[in-house]
Amino acid sequence: MSAQHAVVVEDLVKTFGPFTAVDRISFSVPRGEVFGFLGPNGAGKSTTIRMLCGIITPTSGRGSVAGYDILTESEQIKERIGYMSQRFSLYEDLTVEENIEFYGGVYGVANARLAERKQWILEMANLTDRSRSLTGELAVGWKQRLALGCALVHEPEILFLDEPTAGVDPISRRNFWDLIYTVAGQGVTVFVTTHYMDEAEHCDRLGLIYRGKLIALGSPQQLKERYVAGALLEVRAQPIMQALDLLAGEPAAKEVAIFGAALHVVAESEAAAAPLRAALERGGVTVSRIETIAPSLEDIFVSLIEQADEVTARGAR
């Protein structure tokens, strides 16, 4: 397993009875990268991250974190990683600085060094003025910053963040990502799971996981270029559900999905716009606009999920 990689996974599987939560996934994360693990709830993101952190044991496959084997050297891994879940794992009846001191003790940080780390965390998270506030009295965004600081108190090589911004308001999410960049800028590898598309755009590379399978891997730009073949058309028409039904039956429309108040259509080329408009108007739909747009990560993800479902459906027949 390469010393240049913070994480290496090969054919990793986790089953719970008859249910396969993670299905033969393989990928690697270079040191210093911000790697995003993107997928809907229940896709296998948290199960994967818990195997990598030594919290649960894989059913089969192999992997390494910080150069240590996830099957046989989980204790060494735990000493070199920071882990933050969406539940934050803070003690609400302790103050901000008491939580930092507690986690410093858990990780065995020496007292002299702990004082320095505590000061760094308070400044990094902008919590200096709240250092003696009870954690339970903090707003969710401040708890999130404190949890990140506690995960970093022992200066880990790799930081695992499992849905760290779930349930947090958009401004706090944006501020939190500023902190992630600060940490990554100091050479820490960041492995973050999310189902937010805007957060995925901030990652150096992404792994897209669906029903336990890794269905795509690459930078956000690579995924956009690789997985939408042809042209992406945005269609604004009313009534939208009638338009969806009509376009789903048109050979020129390879894929159709609702995006907000519009439809996104994958077609062979931009030339498909004219026959699609004509088909909608024949069907009694009012078309206000059809234009070619650049694909978003959400377009990519919807397209890949539809392809994966088609493969599954064919296999079941």
Side-chain angles (χ1 to χ4, degrees), residues 262-312:
L263 298 173
H264 284 192
V265 180
V266 177
E268 290 288 350
S269 69
E270 295 180 28
L276 291 178
R277 176 186 287 271
L280 289 172
E281 290 174 345
R282 281 197 307 272
V285 170
T286 302
V287 181
S288 56
R289 188 172 72 212
I290 298 182
E291 62 180 351
T292 305
I293 60 170
S296 67
L297 274 179
E298 189 169 359
D299 289 305
I300 304 304
F301 200 40
V302 168
S303 177
L304 287 168
I305 283 178
E306 288 181 348
Q307 292 171 29
D309 285 341
E310 286 174 10
V311 170
T312 301

Side-chain angles (χ1 to χ4, degrees), residues 154-235:
H154 58 306
E155 300 176 87
E157 300 173 35
I158 306 167
L159 179 62
F160 287 96
L161 304 173
D162 190 11
E163 297 276 2
T165 59
V168 178
D169 67 86
I171 293 174
S172 294
R173 282 172 53 204
R174 191 159 56 245
N175 292 338
F176 186 78
W177 271 90
D178 288 340
L179 298 183
I180 290 176
Y181 285 137
T182 298
V183 171
Q186 297 174 343
V188 177
T189 304
V190 179
F191 188 117
V192 56
T193 71
T194 183
H195 60 268
Y196 293 117
M197 299 295 166
D198 58 329
E199 290 188 348
E201 293 276 6
H202 297 313
C203 299
D204 297 320
R205 278 193 318 136
L206 295 168
L208 274 62
I209 186 169
Y210 179 60
R211 292 185 173 175
K213 294 181 181 291
L214 194 67
I215 60 175
L217 187 67
S219 71
Q221 189 58 40
Q222 286 171 339
L223 294 178
K224 291 173 187 176
E225 292 171 355
R226 189 184 309 158
Y227 289 105
V228 170
L232 181 65
L233 306 176
E234 182 176 82
V235 178

Side-chain angles (χ1 to χ4, degrees), residues 88 130 134-145 169 172:
F88 299 161
R130 294 172 169 81
L134 280 177
T135 299
E137 296 174 354
L138 297 177
V140 173
W142 294 111
K143 289 180 181 177
Q144 179 192 53
R145 290 163 171 258
D169 67 86
S172 294

Side-chain angles (χ1 to χ4, degrees), residues 15 106 140 230 245 247 262:
T15 59
V106 168
V140 173
D245 290 340
L247 290 177

